[in-house]
Amino acid sequence: MKILLATDGSKQSEAAIDALKTFRFKEGDEIKIVSVVDMAVPMAIDIYGGYLPDTTEMEKTAREHAARILEETCARLEGICGSKNVTFTSEVLFGTPESRIVETAEQMEADMIVVGSHGYSRWERLLLGSVSDSVVNHAPCSVLVVRSPKVDQ
């Protein structure tokens, strides 16, 4: 089985990693872990006003953060899969998360995408959109959307 795990280091992504504990992996299974850096220019910047901020430092920081997330996720998955001979690969991607996750799943011919849900309310989802919702609607394979467990207060 080929699984694409998309993570951003959030608690929802942690729940998606934990969900993989319930899978029965066998020799030859593959897990590709991706973290997508979205460097879109904020809408508040007036690109016609003659000033465009230098995003080099922001991009470098975002790339380093994503690489650290991937490294930590690989280590956790190696602990989860234990002695099974599962192949892990990881990659930092750039672009819009929805499209890059779907494109990567198509390229690797994934059997499943595993992604965390941010649990937005209806209004937040309407205003902000939902990566997981878009992935579900455009993916070439099955998608497991994992919610983080609610903590009693």
Side-chain angles (χ1 to χ4, degrees):
M1 174 177 262
K2 292 181 179 180
I3 297 173
L4 176 64
L5 172 66
T7 181
D8 62 2
S10 65
K11 68 179 182 177
Q12 291 81 8
S13 291
E14 296 293 320
I17 296 166
D18 287 340
L20 292 176
K21 291 178 184 176
T22 63
F23 284 50
R24 297 183 83 180
F25 292 105
K26 61 184 186 308
E27 191 167 327
D29 286 346
E30 299 174 27
I31 301 175
K32 180 168 188 164
I33 309 151
V34 297
S35 188
V36 184
V37 176
D38 188 357
M39 291 299 298
V41 176
M43 297 284 251
I45 295 173
D46 181 10
I47 61 173
Y48 300 107
Y51 171 73
L52 204 55
D54 182 12
T55 58
T56 308
E57 192 62 34
M58 287 190 312
E59 182 178 332
K60 179 182 176 213
T61 302
R63 180 188 304 266
E64 290 170 355
H65 178 70
R68 188 172 53 255
I69 289 169
L70 291 178
E71 187 177 309
E72 292 168 1
T73 303
C74 281
R76 280 190 65 196
L77 285 175
E78 286 171 357
I80 290 170
C81 295
S83 62
K84 305 204 175 38
N85 195 8
V86 177
T87 304
F88 297 103
T89 57
S90 63
E91 183 177 6
V92 175
L93 304 173
F94 287 86
T96 57
E98 307 87 15
S99 62
R100 295 298 288 148
I101 292 167
V102 170
E103 288 169 8
T104 303
E106 289 170 347
Q107 290 168 354
M108 69 177 279
E109 298 178 354
D111 298 306
M112 178 180 286
I113 299 170
V114 179
V115 64
S117 169
H118 276 280
Y120 291 140
S121 69
R122 280 185 229 169
W123 292 110
E124 289 170 321
R125 195 170 22 256
L126 178 66
L127 293 171
L128 302 173
S130 169
V131 171
S132 57
D133 186 52
S134 181
V135 169
V136 165
N137 287 303
H138 297 98
C141 58
S142 297
V143 179
L144 174 61
V145 179
V146 181
R147 290 193 179 278
S148 62
K150 291 186 179 187
V151 178
D152 294 329
Q153 296 179 348

PDB file of all heavy atoms in Angstrom, residues 5 7-9 14 17 33-35 63-79 88-92:
ATOM      1  N   LEU A   5       1.039  10.922   3.588  1.00  0.00           N
ATOM      2  CA  LEU A   5       0.687  11.586   4.838  1.00  0.00           C
ATOM      3  C   LEU A   5       1.077  13.056   4.716  1.00  0.00           C
ATOM      4  O   LEU A   5       2.253  13.372   4.532  1.00  0.00           O
ATOM      5  CB  LEU A   5       1.418  10.949   6.018  1.00  0.00           C
ATOM      6  CG  LEU A   5       1.294  11.671   7.363  1.00  0.00           C
ATOM      7  CD1 LEU A   5      -0.143  11.638   7.865  1.00  0.00           C
ATOM      8  CD2 LEU A   5       2.240  11.069   8.382  1.00  0.00           C
ATOM      9  N   THR A   7       1.362  16.663   6.555  1.00  0.00           N
ATOM     10  CA  THR A   7       1.440  17.180   7.914  1.00  0.00           C
ATOM     11  C   THR A   7       1.919  18.623   7.924  1.00  0.00           C
ATOM     12  O   THR A   7       2.705  19.027   7.061  1.00  0.00           O
ATOM     13  CB  THR A   7       2.371  16.309   8.793  1.00  0.00           C
ATOM     14  OG1 THR A   7       2.395  16.831  10.118  1.00  0.00           O
ATOM     15  CG2 THR A   7       3.774  16.240   8.244  1.00  0.00           C
ATOM     16  N   ASP A   8       1.414  19.361   8.905  1.00  0.00           N
ATOM     17  CA  ASP A   8       1.881  20.734   9.096  1.00  0.00           C
ATOM     18  C   ASP A   8       2.368  20.947  10.522  1.00  0.00           C
ATOM     19  O   ASP A   8       2.621  22.069  10.934  1.00  0.00           O
ATOM     20  CB  ASP A   8       0.791  21.742   8.730  1.00  0.00           C
ATOM     21  CG  ASP A   8      -0.460  21.618   9.588  1.00  0.00           C
ATOM     22  OD1 ASP A   8      -0.491  20.770  10.504  1.00  0.00           O
ATOM     23  OD2 ASP A   8      -1.426  22.370   9.337  1.00  0.00           O
ATOM     24  N   GLY A   9       2.462  19.868  11.285  1.00  0.00           N
ATOM     25  CA  GLY A   9       2.956  19.962  12.648  1.00  0.00           C
ATOM     26  C   GLY A   9       1.897  20.333  13.667  1.00  0.00           C
ATOM     27  O   GLY A   9       2.195  20.438  14.855  1.00  0.00           O
ATOM     28  N   GLU A  14      -0.857  15.628  14.211  1.00  0.00           N
ATOM     29  CA  GLU A  14      -0.401  14.634  15.187  1.00  0.00           C
ATOM     30  C   GLU A  14      -1.437  13.518  15.308  1.00  0.00           C
ATOM     31  O   GLU A  14      -1.086  12.340  15.413  1.00  0.00           O
ATOM     32  CB  GLU A  14      -0.162  15.286  16.554  1.00  0.00           C
ATOM     33  CG  GLU A  14       0.941  16.319  16.566  1.00  0.00           C
ATOM     34  CD  GLU A  14       2.319  15.725  16.332  1.00  0.00           C
ATOM     35  OE1 GLU A  14       2.601  14.640  16.878  1.00  0.00           O
ATOM     36  OE2 GLU A  14       3.111  16.337  15.604  1.00  0.00           O
ATOM     37  N   ILE A  17      -1.094  11.178  12.405  1.00  0.00           N
ATOM     38  CA  ILE A  17       0.036  10.264  12.600  1.00  0.00           C
ATOM     39  C   ILE A  17      -0.377   9.149  13.550  1.00  0.00           C
ATOM     40  O   ILE A  17      -0.124   7.962  13.294  1.00  0.00           O
ATOM     41  CB  ILE A  17       1.270  11.016  13.135  1.00  0.00           C
ATOM     42  CG1 ILE A  17       1.759  12.026  12.109  1.00  0.00           C
ATOM     43  CG2 ILE A  17       2.384  10.040  13.511  1.00  0.00           C
ATOM     44  CD1 ILE A  17       2.743  13.055  12.663  1.00  0.00           C
ATOM     45  N   ILE A  33       5.768  11.262   3.328  1.00  0.00           N
ATOM     46  CA  ILE A  33       5.340  12.329   4.220  1.00  0.00           C
ATOM     47  C   ILE A  33       5.668  13.658   3.552  1.00  0.00           C
ATOM     48  O   ILE A  33       6.802  13.866   3.118  1.00  0.00           O
ATOM     49  CB  ILE A  33       6.067  12.231   5.572  1.00  0.00           C
ATOM     50  CG1 ILE A  33       5.944  10.822   6.124  1.00  0.00           C
ATOM     51  CG2 ILE A  33       5.516  13.248   6.548  1.00  0.00           C
ATOM     52  CD1 ILE A  33       7.101  10.420   6.995  1.00  0.00           C
ATOM     53  N   VAL A  34       4.664  14.531   3.465  1.00  0.00           N
ATOM     54  CA  VAL A  34       4.888  15.838   2.860  1.00  0.00           C
ATOM     55  C   VAL A  34       4.427  16.939   3.798  1.00  0.00           C
ATOM     56  O   VAL A  34       3.502  16.762   4.592  1.00  0.00           O
ATOM     57  CB  VAL A  34       4.178  15.993   1.491  1.00  0.00           C
ATOM     58  CG1 VAL A  34       4.719  14.999   0.481  1.00  0.00           C
ATOM     59  CG2 VAL A  34       2.680  15.882   1.617  1.00  0.00           C
ATOM     60  N   SER A  35       5.107  18.063   3.712  1.00  0.00           N
ATOM     61  CA  SER A  35       4.693  19.286   4.380  1.00  0.00           C
ATOM     62  C   SER A  35       4.750  20.377   3.324  1.00  0.00           C
ATOM     63  O   SER A  35       5.762  20.513   2.628  1.00  0.00           O
ATOM     64  CB  SER A  35       5.622  19.602   5.557  1.00  0.00           C
ATOM     65  OG  SER A  35       5.121  20.682   6.298  1.00  0.00           O
ATOM     66  N   ARG A  63      10.868  26.867   5.166  1.00  0.00           N
ATOM     67  CA  ARG A  63      11.483  25.630   4.671  1.00  0.00           C
ATOM     68  C   ARG A  63      12.121  24.856   5.831  1.00  0.00           C
ATOM     69  O   ARG A  63      11.964  23.642   5.944  1.00  0.00           O
ATOM     70  CB  ARG A  63      12.523  25.937   3.605  1.00  0.00           C
ATOM     71  CG  ARG A  63      13.206  24.708   3.032  1.00  0.00           C
ATOM     72  CD  ARG A  63      14.371  25.086   2.115  1.00  0.00           C
ATOM     73  NE  ARG A  63      13.985  25.972   1.034  1.00  0.00           N
ATOM     74  CZ  ARG A  63      13.640  25.562  -0.177  1.00  0.00           C
ATOM     75  NH1 ARG A  63      13.625  24.285  -0.457  1.00  0.00           N
ATOM     76  NH2 ARG A  63      13.336  26.430  -1.113  1.00  0.00           N
ATOM     77  N   GLU A  64      12.836  25.562   6.705  1.00  0.00           N
ATOM     78  CA  GLU A  64      13.483  24.914   7.850  1.00  0.00           C
ATOM     79  C   GLU A  64      12.449  24.315   8.808  1.00  0.00           C
ATOM     80  O   GLU A  64      12.626  23.212   9.314  1.00  0.00           O
ATOM     81  CB  GLU A  64      14.379  25.910   8.592  1.00  0.00           C
ATOM     82  CG  GLU A  64      15.619  26.295   7.819  1.00  0.00           C
ATOM     83  CD  GLU A  64      16.376  27.460   8.436  1.00  0.00           C
ATOM     84  OE1 GLU A  64      15.886  28.054   9.434  1.00  0.00           O
ATOM     85  OE2 GLU A  64      17.457  27.787   7.908  1.00  0.00           O
ATOM     86  N   HIS A  65      11.368  25.059   9.038  1.00  0.00           N
ATOM     87  CA  HIS A  65      10.299  24.570   9.909  1.00  0.00           C
ATOM     88  C   HIS A  65       9.670  23.298   9.330  1.00  0.00           C
ATOM     89  O   HIS A  65       9.458  22.311  10.043  1.00  0.00           O
ATOM     90  CB  HIS A  65       9.240  25.656  10.102  1.00  0.00           C
ATOM     91  CG  HIS A  65       8.081  25.241  10.931  1.00  0.00           C
ATOM     92  ND1 HIS A  65       8.169  25.019  12.276  1.00  0.00           N
ATOM     93  CD2 HIS A  65       6.787  24.997  10.590  1.00  0.00           C
ATOM     94  CE1 HIS A  65       6.985  24.645  12.745  1.00  0.00           C
ATOM     95  NE2 HIS A  65       6.134  24.630  11.737  1.00  0.00           N
ATOM     96  N   ALA A  66       9.373  23.320   8.034  1.00  0.00           N
ATOM     97  CA  ALA A  66       8.775  22.155   7.377  1.00  0.00           C
ATOM     98  C   ALA A  66       9.721  20.959   7.416  1.00  0.00           C
ATOM     99  O   ALA A  66       9.294  19.825   7.655  1.00  0.00           O
ATOM    100  CB  ALA A  66       8.401  22.500   5.931  1.00  0.00           C
ATOM    101  N   ALA A  67      11.006  21.195   7.208  1.00  0.00           N
ATOM    102  CA  ALA A  67      11.988  20.103   7.255  1.00  0.00           C
ATOM    103  C   ALA A  67      12.051  19.492   8.649  1.00  0.00           C
ATOM    104  O   ALA A  67      12.148  18.268   8.801  1.00  0.00           O
ATOM    105  CB  ALA A  67      13.363  20.614   6.827  1.00  0.00           C
ATOM    106  N   ARG A  68      11.978  20.337   9.683  1.00  0.00           N
ATOM    107  CA  ARG A  68      11.993  19.844  11.065  1.00  0.00           C
ATOM    108  C   ARG A  68      10.743  19.000  11.347  1.00  0.00           C
ATOM    109  O   ARG A  68      10.822  17.945  11.980  1.00  0.00           O
ATOM    110  CB  ARG A  68      12.098  21.009  12.045  1.00  0.00           C
ATOM    111  CG  ARG A  68      12.322  20.584  13.476  1.00  0.00           C
ATOM    112  CD  ARG A  68      12.618  21.733  14.428  1.00  0.00           C
ATOM    113  NE  ARG A  68      11.636  22.809  14.383  1.00  0.00           N
ATOM    114  CZ  ARG A  68      11.830  23.996  13.811  1.00  0.00           C
ATOM    115  NH1 ARG A  68      12.983  24.291  13.234  1.00  0.00           N
ATOM    116  NH2 ARG A  68      10.878  24.918  13.817  1.00  0.00           N
ATOM    117  N   ILE A  69       9.593  19.450  10.857  1.00  0.00           N
ATOM    118  CA  ILE A  69       8.343  18.700  11.025  1.00  0.00           C
ATOM    119  C   ILE A  69       8.469  17.327  10.370  1.00  0.00           C
ATOM    120  O   ILE A  69       8.080  16.312  10.946  1.00  0.00           O
ATOM    121  CB  ILE A  69       7.150  19.476  10.428  1.00  0.00           C
ATOM    122  CG1 ILE A  69       6.830  20.686  11.295  1.00  0.00           C
ATOM    123  CG2 ILE A  69       5.927  18.582  10.274  1.00  0.00           C
ATOM    124  CD1 ILE A  69       5.854  21.650  10.658  1.00  0.00           C
ATOM    125  N   LEU A  70       9.029  17.289   9.168  1.00  0.00           N
ATOM    126  CA  LEU A  70       9.184  16.015   8.459  1.00  0.00           C
ATOM    127  C   LEU A  70      10.130  15.081   9.201  1.00  0.00           C
ATOM    128  O   LEU A  70       9.875  13.877   9.304  1.00  0.00           O
ATOM    129  CB  LEU A  70       9.674  16.257   7.033  1.00  0.00           C
ATOM    130  CG  LEU A  70       8.676  16.930   6.097  1.00  0.00           C
ATOM    131  CD1 LEU A  70       9.309  17.163   4.733  1.00  0.00           C
ATOM    132  CD2 LEU A  70       7.400  16.120   5.963  1.00  0.00           C
ATOM    133  N   GLU A  71      11.206  15.621   9.717  1.00  0.00           N
ATOM    134  CA  GLU A  71      12.177  14.810  10.456  1.00  0.00           C
ATOM    135  C   GLU A  71      11.530  14.189  11.695  1.00  0.00           C
ATOM    136  O   GLU A  71      11.684  12.991  11.961  1.00  0.00           O
ATOM    137  CB  GLU A  71      13.359  15.695  10.858  1.00  0.00           C
ATOM    138  CG  GLU A  71      14.507  14.956  11.486  1.00  0.00           C
ATOM    139  CD  GLU A  71      15.659  15.907  11.780  1.00  0.00           C
ATOM    140  OE1 GLU A  71      16.071  16.648  10.875  1.00  0.00           O
ATOM    141  OE2 GLU A  71      16.120  15.903  12.938  1.00  0.00           O
ATOM    142  N   GLU A  72      10.785  14.994  12.444  1.00  0.00           N
ATOM    143  CA  GLU A  72      10.105  14.501  13.643  1.00  0.00           C
ATOM    144  C   GLU A  72       9.041  13.466  13.289  1.00  0.00           C
ATOM    145  O   GLU A  72       8.883  12.457  13.988  1.00  0.00           O
ATOM    146  CB  GLU A  72       9.479  15.672  14.410  1.00  0.00           C
ATOM    147  CG  GLU A  72      10.493  16.598  15.031  1.00  0.00           C
ATOM    148  CD  GLU A  72       9.892  17.906  15.538  1.00  0.00           C
ATOM    149  OE1 GLU A  72       8.650  18.095  15.432  1.00  0.00           O
ATOM    150  OE2 GLU A  72      10.664  18.746  16.037  1.00  0.00           O
ATOM    151  N   THR A  73       8.310  13.701  12.205  1.00  0.00           N
ATOM    152  CA  THR A  73       7.267  12.771  11.778  1.00  0.00           C
ATOM    153  C   THR A  73       7.868  11.438  11.351  1.00  0.00           C
ATOM    154  O   THR A  73       7.339  10.375  11.701  1.00  0.00           O
ATOM    155  CB  THR A  73       6.428  13.382  10.636  1.00  0.00           C
ATOM    156  OG1 THR A  73       5.868  14.625  11.085  1.00  0.00           O
ATOM    157  CG2 THR A  73       5.314  12.451  10.206  1.00  0.00           C
ATOM    158  N   CYS A  74       8.965  11.479  10.611  1.00  0.00           N
ATOM    159  CA  CYS A  74       9.640  10.234  10.203  1.00  0.00           C
ATOM    160  C   CYS A  74      10.062   9.429  11.425  1.00  0.00           C
ATOM    161  O   CYS A  74       9.870   8.209  11.469  1.00  0.00           O
ATOM    162  CB  CYS A  74      10.866  10.539   9.335  1.00  0.00           C
ATOM    163  SG  CYS A  74      10.495  10.933   7.629  1.00  0.00           S
ATOM    164  N   ALA A  75      10.618  10.104  12.412  1.00  0.00           N
ATOM    165  CA  ALA A  75      11.059   9.413  13.631  1.00  0.00           C
ATOM    166  C   ALA A  75       9.874   8.769  14.343  1.00  0.00           C
ATOM    167  O   ALA A  75       9.962   7.613  14.786  1.00  0.00           O
ATOM    168  CB  ALA A  75      11.775  10.393  14.555  1.00  0.00           C
ATOM    169  N   ARG A  76       8.762   9.483  14.436  1.00  0.00           N
ATOM    170  CA  ARG A  76       7.567   8.911  15.078  1.00  0.00           C
ATOM    171  C   ARG A  76       7.038   7.714  14.320  1.00  0.00           C
ATOM    172  O   ARG A  76       6.664   6.707  14.912  1.00  0.00           O
ATOM    173  CB  ARG A  76       6.469   9.955  15.181  1.00  0.00           C
ATOM    174  CG  ARG A  76       6.666  10.899  16.334  1.00  0.00           C
ATOM    175  CD  ARG A  76       5.482  11.760  16.581  1.00  0.00           C
ATOM    176  NE  ARG A  76       4.328  10.981  17.005  1.00  0.00           N
ATOM    177  CZ  ARG A  76       3.085  11.447  17.003  1.00  0.00           C
ATOM    178  NH1 ARG A  76       2.846  12.666  16.594  1.00  0.00           N
ATOM    179  NH2 ARG A  76       2.085  10.700  17.405  1.00  0.00           N
ATOM    180  N   LEU A  77       7.014   7.815  12.991  1.00  0.00           N
ATOM    181  CA  LEU A  77       6.486   6.710  12.187  1.00  0.00           C
ATOM    182  C   LEU A  77       7.381   5.481  12.249  1.00  0.00           C
ATOM    183  O   LEU A  77       6.884   4.355  12.228  1.00  0.00           O
ATOM    184  CB  LEU A  77       6.275   7.150  10.739  1.00  0.00           C
ATOM    185  CG  LEU A  77       5.062   8.035  10.509  1.00  0.00           C
ATOM    186  CD1 LEU A  77       5.006   8.505   9.072  1.00  0.00           C
ATOM    187  CD2 LEU A  77       3.778   7.302  10.874  1.00  0.00           C
ATOM    188  N   GLU A  78       8.676   5.696  12.315  1.00  0.00           N
ATOM    189  CA  GLU A  78       9.582   4.561  12.452  1.00  0.00           C
ATOM    190  C   GLU A  78       9.305   3.829  13.755  1.00  0.00           C
ATOM    191  O   GLU A  78       9.355   2.607  13.814  1.00  0.00           O
ATOM    192  CB  GLU A  78      11.034   5.015  12.359  1.00  0.00           C
ATOM    193  CG  GLU A  78      11.435   5.378  10.942  1.00  0.00           C
ATOM    194  CD  GLU A  78      12.802   6.029  10.839  1.00  0.00           C
ATOM    195  OE1 GLU A  78      13.454   6.269  11.882  1.00  0.00           O
ATOM    196  OE2 GLU A  78      13.212   6.314   9.704  1.00  0.00           O
ATOM    197  N   GLY A  79       8.970   4.566  14.802  1.00  0.00           N
ATOM    198  CA  GLY A  79       8.597   3.955  16.072  1.00  0.00           C
ATOM    199  C   GLY A  79       7.271   3.216  15.982  1.00  0.00           C
ATOM    200  O   GLY A  79       7.101   2.155  16.562  1.00  0.00           O
ATOM    201  N   PHE A  88       9.993   4.796   4.065  1.00  0.00           N
ATOM    202  CA  PHE A  88       9.588   6.170   4.330  1.00  0.00           C
ATOM    203  C   PHE A  88      10.352   7.109   3.418  1.00  0.00           C
ATOM    204  O   PHE A  88      11.558   6.972   3.258  1.00  0.00           O
ATOM    205  CB  PHE A  88       9.911   6.575   5.774  1.00  0.00           C
ATOM    206  CG  PHE A  88       9.176   5.782   6.798  1.00  0.00           C
ATOM    207  CD1 PHE A  88       9.821   4.774   7.487  1.00  0.00           C
ATOM    208  CD2 PHE A  88       7.856   6.032   7.079  1.00  0.00           C
ATOM    209  CE1 PHE A  88       9.157   4.032   8.438  1.00  0.00           C
ATOM    210  CE2 PHE A  88       7.180   5.297   8.028  1.00  0.00           C
ATOM    211  CZ  PHE A  88       7.836   4.291   8.708  1.00  0.00           C
ATOM    212  N   THR A  89       9.636   8.072   2.848  1.00  0.00           N
ATOM    213  CA  THR A  89      10.270   9.174   2.138  1.00  0.00           C
ATOM    214  C   THR A  89       9.579  10.448   2.613  1.00  0.00           C
ATOM    215  O   THR A  89       8.448  10.401   3.116  1.00  0.00           O
ATOM    216  CB  THR A  89      10.137   9.054   0.606  1.00  0.00           C
ATOM    217  OG1 THR A  89       8.752   8.972   0.259  1.00  0.00           O
ATOM    218  CG2 THR A  89      10.867   7.835   0.077  1.00  0.00           C
ATOM    219  N   SER A  90      10.262  11.566   2.475  1.00  0.00           N
ATOM    220  CA  SER A  90       9.647  12.836   2.874  1.00  0.00           C
ATOM    221  C   SER A  90      10.085  13.923   1.907  1.00  0.00           C
ATOM    222  O   SER A  90      11.129  13.821   1.272  1.00  0.00           O
ATOM    223  CB  SER A  90      10.026  13.187   4.310  1.00  0.00           C
ATOM    224  OG  SER A  90      11.414  13.384   4.419  1.00  0.00           O
ATOM    225  N   GLU A  91       9.233  14.966   1.833  1.00  0.00           N
ATOM    226  CA  GLU A  91       9.537  16.055   0.904  1.00  0.00           C
ATOM    227  C   GLU A  91       8.823  17.324   1.344  1.00  0.00           C
ATOM    228  O   GLU A  91       7.652  17.292   1.726  1.00  0.00           O
ATOM    229  CB  GLU A  91       9.078  15.658  -0.504  1.00  0.00           C
ATOM    230  CG  GLU A  91       9.405  16.666  -1.567  1.00  0.00           C
ATOM    231  CD  GLU A  91       9.007  16.194  -2.962  1.00  0.00           C
ATOM    232  OE1 GLU A  91       8.381  15.126  -3.118  1.00  0.00           O
ATOM    233  OE2 GLU A  91       9.331  16.932  -3.914  1.00  0.00           O
ATOM    234  N   VAL A  92       9.539  18.428   1.286  1.00  0.00           N
ATOM    235  CA  VAL A  92       8.948  19.745   1.499  1.00  0.00           C
ATOM    236  C   VAL A  92       8.467  20.223   0.134  1.00  0.00           C
ATOM    237  O   VAL A  92       9.232  20.235  -0.830  1.00  0.00           O
ATOM    238  CB  VAL A  92       9.967  20.749   2.091  1.00  0.00           C
ATOM    239  CG1 VAL A  92       9.346  22.141   2.191  1.00  0.00           C
ATOM    240  CG2 VAL A  92      10.467  20.284   3.446  1.00  0.00           C
TER     241      VAL A  92
END
